[in-house]
PDB file of all heavy atoms in Angstrom:
ATOM      1  N   ARG W   1      13.529 210.618  36.171  1.00 83.00           N
ATOM      2  CA  ARG W   1      13.649 209.516  37.111  1.00 83.00           C
ATOM      3  C   ARG W   1      13.766 210.044  38.540  1.00 83.00           C
ATOM      4  O   ARG W   1      13.224 209.475  39.482  1.00 83.00           O
ATOM      5  CB  ARG W   1      14.879 208.679  36.752  1.00 83.00           C
ATOM      6  CG  ARG W   1      14.946 207.331  37.455  1.00 83.00           C
ATOM      7  CD  ARG W   1      16.231 206.613  37.079  1.00 83.00           C
ATOM      8  NE  ARG W   1      17.401 207.364  37.514  1.00 83.00           N
ATOM      9  CZ  ARG W   1      17.873 207.365  38.766  1.00 83.00           C
ATOM     10  NH1 ARG W   1      17.273 206.667  39.696  1.00 83.00           N
ATOM     11  NH2 ARG W   1      18.943 208.068  39.077  1.00 83.00           N
ATOM     12  N   LEU W   2      14.438 211.182  38.667  1.00 87.00           N
ATOM     13  CA  LEU W   2      14.621 211.784  39.989  1.00 87.00           C
ATOM     14  C   LEU W   2      13.314 212.322  40.580  1.00 87.00           C
ATOM     15  O   LEU W   2      13.241 212.608  41.755  1.00 87.00           O
ATOM     16  CB  LEU W   2      15.646 212.920  39.924  1.00 87.00           C
ATOM     17  CG  LEU W   2      17.103 212.494  39.692  1.00 87.00           C
ATOM     18  CD1 LEU W   2      17.990 213.728  39.560  1.00 87.00           C
ATOM     19  CD2 LEU W   2      17.604 211.610  40.809  1.00 87.00           C
ATOM     20  N   LEU W   3      12.306 212.466  39.723  1.00 89.00           N
ATOM     21  CA  LEU W   3      11.032 212.965  40.218  1.00 89.00           C
ATOM     22  C   LEU W   3      10.015 211.846  40.459  1.00 89.00           C
ATOM     23  O   LEU W   3       8.880 212.099  40.814  1.00 89.00           O
ATOM     24  CB  LEU W   3      10.435 213.971  39.226  1.00 89.00           C
ATOM     25  CG  LEU W   3      11.065 215.369  39.262  1.00 89.00           C
ATOM     26  CD1 LEU W   3      10.548 216.216  38.112  1.00 89.00           C
ATOM     27  CD2 LEU W   3      10.805 216.044  40.597  1.00 89.00           C
ATOM     28  N   CYS W   4      10.455 210.609  40.268  1.00 91.00           N
ATOM     29  CA  CYS W   4       9.529 209.499  40.500  1.00 91.00           C
ATOM     30  C   CYS W   4       9.833 208.815  41.825  1.00 91.00           C
ATOM     31  O   CYS W   4      10.915 208.263  42.015  1.00 91.00           O
ATOM     32  CB  CYS W   4       9.622 208.463  39.369  1.00 91.00           C
ATOM     33  SG  CYS W   4       8.868 209.060  37.858  1.00 91.00           S
ATOM     34  N   PRO W   5       8.881 208.873  42.753  1.00 94.00           N
ATOM     35  CA  PRO W   5       9.086 208.159  44.023  1.00 94.00           C
ATOM     36  C   PRO W   5       9.085 206.655  43.757  1.00 94.00           C
ATOM     37  O   PRO W   5       8.420 206.199  42.836  1.00 94.00           O
ATOM     38  CB  PRO W   5       7.852 208.551  44.851  1.00 94.00           C
ATOM     39  CG  PRO W   5       6.804 208.931  43.852  1.00 94.00           C
ATOM     40  CD  PRO W   5       7.534 209.466  42.660  1.00 94.00           C
ATOM     41  N   GLN W   6       9.850 205.885  44.536  1.00 95.00           N
ATOM     42  CA  GLN W   6       9.807 204.429  44.320  1.00 95.00           C
ATOM     43  C   GLN W   6       8.494 203.837  44.809  1.00 95.00           C
ATOM     44  O   GLN W   6       8.022 202.857  44.268  1.00 95.00           O
ATOM     45  CB  GLN W   6      10.970 203.742  45.060  1.00 95.00           C
ATOM     46  CG  GLN W   6      12.311 203.936  44.397  1.00 95.00           C
ATOM     47  CD  GLN W   6      13.143 205.002  45.115  1.00 95.00           C
ATOM     48  OE1 GLN W   6      12.620 205.979  45.634  1.00 95.00           O
ATOM     49  NE2 GLN W   6      14.455 204.829  45.108  1.00 95.00           N
ATOM     50  N   TRP W   7       7.912 204.437  45.851  1.00 96.00           N
ATOM     51  CA  TRP W   7       6.669 203.921  46.405  1.00 96.00           C
ATOM     52  C   TRP W   7       5.683 205.052  46.636  1.00 96.00           C
ATOM     53  O   TRP W   7       6.102 206.153  47.020  1.00 96.00           O
ATOM     54  CB  TRP W   7       6.920 203.236  47.757  1.00 96.00           C
ATOM     55  CG  TRP W   7       7.753 201.993  47.664  1.00 96.00           C
ATOM     56  CD1 TRP W   7       9.104 201.909  47.580  1.00 96.00           C
ATOM     57  CD2 TRP W   7       7.268 200.638  47.643  1.00 96.00           C
ATOM     58  NE1 TRP W   7       9.498 200.591  47.527  1.00 96.00           N
ATOM     59  CE2 TRP W   7       8.399 199.791  47.554  1.00 96.00           C
ATOM     60  CE3 TRP W   7       5.988 200.048  47.714  1.00 96.00           C
ATOM     61  CZ2 TRP W   7       8.297 198.414  47.532  1.00 96.00           C
ATOM     62  CZ3 TRP W   7       5.888 198.672  47.693  1.00 96.00           C
ATOM     63  CH2 TRP W   7       7.024 197.865  47.591  1.00 96.00           C
ATOM     64  N   VAL W   8       4.389 204.782  46.426  1.00 96.00           N
ATOM     65  CA  VAL W   8       3.342 205.758  46.739  1.00 96.00           C
ATOM     66  C   VAL W   8       2.300 205.079  47.618  1.00 96.00           C
ATOM     67  O   VAL W   8       1.848 203.979  47.304  1.00 96.00           O
ATOM     68  CB  VAL W   8       2.671 206.302  45.462  1.00 96.00           C
ATOM     69  CG1 VAL W   8       1.671 207.404  45.820  1.00 96.00           C
ATOM     70  CG2 VAL W   8       3.712 206.860  44.496  1.00 96.00           C
ATOM     71  N   PHE W   9       1.950 205.728  48.710  1.00 96.00           N
ATOM     72  CA  PHE W   9       0.963 205.194  49.644  1.00 96.00           C
ATOM     73  C   PHE W   9      -0.146 206.218  49.866  1.00 96.00           C
ATOM     74  O   PHE W   9       0.046 207.407  49.622  1.00 96.00           O
ATOM     75  CB  PHE W   9       1.608 204.906  51.010  1.00 96.00           C
ATOM     76  CG  PHE W   9       2.685 203.868  50.987  1.00 96.00           C
ATOM     77  CD1 PHE W   9       4.015 204.222  50.807  1.00 96.00           C
ATOM     78  CD2 PHE W   9       2.368 202.527  51.167  1.00 96.00           C
ATOM     79  CE1 PHE W   9       5.018 203.260  50.807  1.00 96.00           C
ATOM     80  CE2 PHE W   9       3.366 201.556  51.160  1.00 96.00           C
ATOM     81  CZ  PHE W   9       4.688 201.916  50.974  1.00 96.00           C
ATOM     82  N   ASP W  10      -1.292 205.741  50.388  1.00 94.00           N
ATOM     83  CA  ASP W  10      -2.376 206.659  50.718  1.00 94.00           C
ATOM     84  C   ASP W  10      -1.999 207.590  51.864  1.00 94.00           C
ATOM     85  O   ASP W  10      -2.322 208.770  51.864  1.00 94.00           O
ATOM     86  CB  ASP W  10      -3.645 205.883  51.104  1.00 94.00           C
ATOM     87  CG  ASP W  10      -4.396 205.379  49.874  1.00 94.00           C
ATOM     88  OD1 ASP W  10      -4.518 206.158  48.913  1.00 94.00           O
ATOM     89  OD2 ASP W  10      -4.838 204.227  49.867  1.00 94.00           O
ATOM     90  N   ASN W  11      -1.323 207.062  52.879  1.00 96.00           N
ATOM     91  CA  ASN W  11      -0.973 207.864  54.049  1.00 96.00           C
ATOM     92  C   ASN W  11       0.157 207.197  54.813  1.00 96.00           C
ATOM     93  O   ASN W  11       0.546 206.069  54.507  1.00 96.00           O
ATOM     94  CB  ASN W  11      -2.197 208.045  54.957  1.00 96.00           C
ATOM     95  CG  ASN W  11      -2.854 206.711  55.283  1.00 96.00           C
ATOM     96  OD1 ASN W  11      -2.195 205.718  55.573  1.00 96.00           O
ATOM     97  ND2 ASN W  11      -4.160 206.667  55.205  1.00 96.00           N
ATOM     98  N   TYR W  12       0.670 207.896  55.819  1.00 97.00           N
ATOM     99  CA  TYR W  12       1.814 207.362  56.562  1.00 97.00           C
ATOM    100  C   TYR W  12       1.506 206.032  57.243  1.00 97.00           C
ATOM    101  O   TYR W  12       2.372 205.169  57.361  1.00 97.00           O
ATOM    102  CB  TYR W  12       2.379 208.392  57.554  1.00 97.00           C
ATOM    103  CG  TYR W  12       1.485 208.700  58.740  1.00 97.00           C
ATOM    104  CD1 TYR W  12       1.387 207.816  59.814  1.00 97.00           C
ATOM    105  CD2 TYR W  12       0.746 209.881  58.799  1.00 97.00           C
ATOM    106  CE1 TYR W  12       0.563 208.101  60.896  1.00 97.00           C
ATOM    107  CE2 TYR W  12      -0.077 210.165  59.886  1.00 97.00           C
ATOM    108  CZ  TYR W  12      -0.162 209.275  60.923  1.00 97.00           C
ATOM    109  OH  TYR W  12      -0.972 209.532  61.980  1.00 97.00           O
ATOM    110  N   GLU W  13       0.243 205.856  57.713  1.00 96.00           N
ATOM    111  CA  GLU W  13      -0.092 204.602  58.415  1.00 96.00           C
ATOM    112  C   GLU W  13       0.130 203.366  57.549  1.00 96.00           C
ATOM    113  O   GLU W  13       0.353 202.284  58.056  1.00 96.00           O
ATOM    114  CB  GLU W  13      -1.548 204.604  58.888  1.00 96.00           C
ATOM    115  CG  GLU W  13      -1.794 205.477  60.086  1.00 96.00           C
ATOM    116  CD  GLU W  13      -2.647 206.689  59.767  1.00 96.00           C
ATOM    117  OE1 GLU W  13      -2.531 207.223  58.643  1.00 96.00           O
ATOM    118  OE2 GLU W  13      -3.429 207.108  60.642  1.00 96.00           O
ATOM    119  N   ALA W  14       0.073 203.552  56.216  1.00 97.00           N
ATOM    120  CA  ALA W  14       0.267 202.422  55.311  1.00 97.00           C
ATOM    121  C   ALA W  14       1.735 201.985  55.267  1.00 97.00           C
ATOM    122  O   ALA W  14       2.055 200.890  54.787  1.00 97.00           O
ATOM    123  CB  ALA W  14      -0.225 202.791  53.913  1.00 97.00           C
ATOM    124  N   VAL W  15       2.630 202.830  55.778  1.00 98.00           N
ATOM    125  CA  VAL W  15       4.047 202.490  55.824  1.00 98.00           C
ATOM    126  C   VAL W  15       4.331 201.827  57.168  1.00 98.00           C
ATOM    127  O   VAL W  15       4.425 202.491  58.196  1.00 98.00           O
ATOM    128  CB  VAL W  15       4.912 203.756  55.650  1.00 98.00           C
ATOM    129  CG1 VAL W  15       6.398 203.407  55.679  1.00 98.00           C
ATOM    130  CG2 VAL W  15       4.561 204.474  54.336  1.00 98.00           C
ATOM    131  N   THR W  16       4.435 200.504  57.167  1.00 98.00           N
ATOM    132  CA  THR W  16       4.530 199.759  58.429  1.00 98.00           C
ATOM    133  C   THR W  16       5.991 199.470  58.790  1.00 98.00           C
ATOM    134  O   THR W  16       6.873 199.482  57.931  1.00 98.00           O
ATOM    135  CB  THR W  16       3.817 198.400  58.290  1.00 98.00           C
ATOM    136  OG1 THR W  16       4.492 197.637  57.259  1.00 98.00           O
ATOM    137  CG2 THR W  16       2.347 198.573  57.923  1.00 98.00           C
ATOM    138  N   PRO W  17       6.232 199.211  60.090  1.00 98.00           N
ATOM    139  CA  PRO W  17       7.593 198.807  60.493  1.00 98.00           C
ATOM    140  C   PRO W  17       8.047 197.572  59.714  1.00 98.00           C
ATOM    141  O   PRO W  17       9.217 197.474  59.356  1.00 98.00           O
ATOM    142  CB  PRO W  17       7.419 198.459  61.977  1.00 98.00           C
ATOM    143  CG  PRO W  17       6.229 199.219  62.442  1.00 98.00           C
ATOM    144  CD  PRO W  17       5.318 199.325  61.248  1.00 98.00           C
ATOM    145  N   GLU W  18       7.134 196.650  59.427  1.00 98.00           N
ATOM    146  CA  GLU W  18       7.479 195.436  58.668  1.00 98.00           C
ATOM    147  C   GLU W  18       7.986 195.810  57.273  1.00 98.00           C
ATOM    148  O   GLU W  18       9.004 195.290  56.807  1.00 98.00           O
ATOM    149  CB  GLU W  18       6.257 194.500  58.507  1.00 98.00           C
ATOM    150  CG  GLU W  18       5.740 193.904  59.807  1.00 98.00           C
ATOM    151  CD  GLU W  18       5.020 194.923  60.705  1.00 98.00           C
ATOM    152  OE1 GLU W  18       4.272 195.796  60.195  1.00 98.00           O
ATOM    153  OE2 GLU W  18       5.213 194.856  61.940  1.00 98.00           O
ATOM    154  N   PHE W  19       7.271 196.714  56.620  1.00 98.00           N
ATOM    155  CA  PHE W  19       7.664 197.166  55.285  1.00 98.00           C
ATOM    156  C   PHE W  19       9.070 197.769  55.333  1.00 98.00           C
ATOM    157  O   PHE W  19       9.941 197.464  54.517  1.00 98.00           O
ATOM    158  CB  PHE W  19       6.667 198.203  54.753  1.00 98.00           C
ATOM    159  CG  PHE W  19       7.133 198.911  53.507  1.00 98.00           C
ATOM    160  CD1 PHE W  19       6.916 198.359  52.255  1.00 98.00           C
ATOM    161  CD2 PHE W  19       7.825 200.115  53.591  1.00 98.00           C
ATOM    162  CE1 PHE W  19       7.379 198.997  51.097  1.00 98.00           C
ATOM    163  CE2 PHE W  19       8.291 200.766  52.459  1.00 98.00           C
ATOM    164  CZ  PHE W  19       8.068 200.202  51.203  1.00 98.00           C
ATOM    165  N   LEU W  20       9.306 198.648  56.320  1.00 98.00           N
ATOM    166  CA  LEU W  20      10.603 199.330  56.403  1.00 98.00           C
ATOM    167  C   LEU W  20      11.724 198.344  56.685  1.00 98.00           C
ATOM    168  O   LEU W  20      12.793 198.405  56.065  1.00 98.00           O
ATOM    169  CB  LEU W  20      10.537 200.417  57.500  1.00 98.00           C
ATOM    170  CG  LEU W  20       9.585 201.582  57.175  1.00 98.00           C
ATOM    171  CD1 LEU W  20       9.374 202.447  58.402  1.00 98.00           C
ATOM    172  CD2 LEU W  20      10.092 202.409  55.993  1.00 98.00           C
ATOM    173  N   LYS W  21      11.476 197.374  57.583  1.00 98.00           N
ATOM    174  CA  LYS W  21      12.503 196.365  57.898  1.00 98.00           C
ATOM    175  C   LYS W  21      12.834 195.540  56.667  1.00 98.00           C
ATOM    176  O   LYS W  21      13.999 195.252  56.376  1.00 98.00           O
ATOM    177  CB  LYS W  21      12.005 195.451  59.019  1.00 98.00           C
ATOM    178  CG  LYS W  21      12.004 196.142  60.380  1.00 98.00           C
ATOM    179  CD  LYS W  21      12.095 195.132  61.497  1.00 98.00           C
ATOM    180  CE  LYS W  21      13.391 195.309  62.236  1.00 98.00           C
ATOM    181  NZ  LYS W  21      13.207 195.565  63.684  1.00 98.00           N
ATOM    182  N   GLU W  22      11.796 195.164  55.939  1.00 97.00           N
ATOM    183  CA  GLU W  22      11.955 194.380  54.716  1.00 97.00           C
ATOM    184  C   GLU W  22      12.869 195.098  53.724  1.00 97.00           C
ATOM    185  O   GLU W  22      13.551 194.476  52.916  1.00 97.00           O
ATOM    186  CB  GLU W  22      10.577 194.237  54.090  1.00 97.00           C
ATOM    187  CG  GLU W  22      10.276 192.958  53.388  1.00 97.00           C
ATOM    188  CD  GLU W  22       8.791 192.916  53.037  1.00 97.00           C
ATOM    189  OE1 GLU W  22       7.975 192.696  53.954  1.00 97.00           O
ATOM    190  OE2 GLU W  22       8.475 193.160  51.852  1.00 97.00           O
ATOM    191  N   HIS W  23      12.839 196.443  53.753  1.00 97.00           N
ATOM    192  CA  HIS W  23      13.644 197.223  52.811  1.00 97.00           C
ATOM    193  C   HIS W  23      14.929 197.771  53.453  1.00 97.00           C
ATOM    194  O   HIS W  23      15.573 198.654  52.890  1.00 97.00           O
ATOM    195  CB  HIS W  23      12.794 198.357  52.227  1.00 97.00           C
ATOM    196  CG  HIS W  23      11.736 197.823  51.303  1.00 97.00           C
ATOM    197  ND1 HIS W  23      10.520 197.384  51.761  1.00 97.00           N
ATOM    198  CD2 HIS W  23      11.746 197.598  49.969  1.00 97.00           C
ATOM    199  CE1 HIS W  23       9.823 196.931  50.732  1.00 97.00           C
ATOM    200  NE2 HIS W  23      10.540 197.045  49.639  1.00 97.00           N
ATOM    201  N   GLY W  24      15.290 197.195  54.598  1.00 98.00           N
ATOM    202  CA  GLY W  24      16.570 197.537  55.230  1.00 98.00           C
ATOM    203  C   GLY W  24      16.643 198.958  55.777  1.00 98.00           C
ATOM    204  O   GLY W  24      17.733 199.489  55.960  1.00 98.00           O
ATOM    205  N   VAL W  25      15.483 199.556  56.051  1.00 98.00           N
ATOM    206  CA  VAL W  25      15.469 200.944  56.520  1.00 98.00           C
ATOM    207  C   VAL W  25      15.694 201.000  58.038  1.00 98.00           C
ATOM    208  O   VAL W  25      14.956 200.386  58.807  1.00 98.00           O
ATOM    209  CB  VAL W  25      14.119 201.629  56.171  1.00 98.00           C
ATOM    210  CG1 VAL W  25      14.051 203.036  56.775  1.00 98.00           C
ATOM    211  CG2 VAL W  25      13.930 201.674  54.652  1.00 98.00           C
ATOM    212  N   LYS W  26      16.735 201.730  58.441  1.00 98.00           N
ATOM    213  CA  LYS W  26      17.033 201.917  59.862  1.00 98.00           C
ATOM    214  C   LYS W  26      16.666 203.316  60.325  1.00 98.00           C
ATOM    215  O   LYS W  26      16.520 203.569  61.512  1.00 98.00           O
ATOM    216  CB  LYS W  26      18.529 201.680  60.124  1.00 98.00           C
ATOM    217  CG  LYS W  26      18.934 200.224  59.902  1.00 98.00           C
ATOM    218  CD  LYS W  26      20.407 200.023  60.187  1.00 98.00           C
ATOM    219  CE  LYS W  26      20.780 198.558  59.968  1.00 98.00           C
ATOM    220  NZ  LYS W  26      22.244 198.372  60.026  1.00 98.00           N
ATOM    221  N   LEU W  27      16.578 204.253  59.369  1.00 98.00           N
ATOM    222  CA  LEU W  27      16.196 205.629  59.674  1.00 98.00           C
ATOM    223  C   LEU W  27      15.122 206.076  58.702  1.00 98.00           C
ATOM    224  O   LEU W  27      15.321 206.042  57.479  1.00 98.00           O
ATOM    225  CB  LEU W  27      17.404 206.565  59.552  1.00 98.00           C
ATOM    226  CG  LEU W  27      17.122 208.071  59.618  1.00 98.00           C
ATOM    227  CD1 LEU W  27      16.561 208.475  60.979  1.00 98.00           C
ATOM    228  CD2 LEU W  27      18.384 208.887  59.298  1.00 98.00           C
TER     229      LEU W  27
END
């Protein structure tokens, strides 16, 4: 389980500020 990422994306651009906010990410 520790080796499974919760999310996999093609590249960093796919990780949007909206996505991060939705998941409560501040850092």
Side-chain angles (χ1 to χ4, degrees):
R1 193 183 62 80
L2 290 176
L3 283 172
C4 287
Q6 286 102 325
W7 294 81
V8 185
F9 297 91
D10 280 317
N11 51 44
Y12 69 77
E13 285 111 326
V15 181
T16 62
E18 294 72 39
F19 169 86
L20 294 169
K21 287 205 115 122
E22 215 171 284
H23 291 85
V25 175
K26 293 181 179 171
L27 170 64

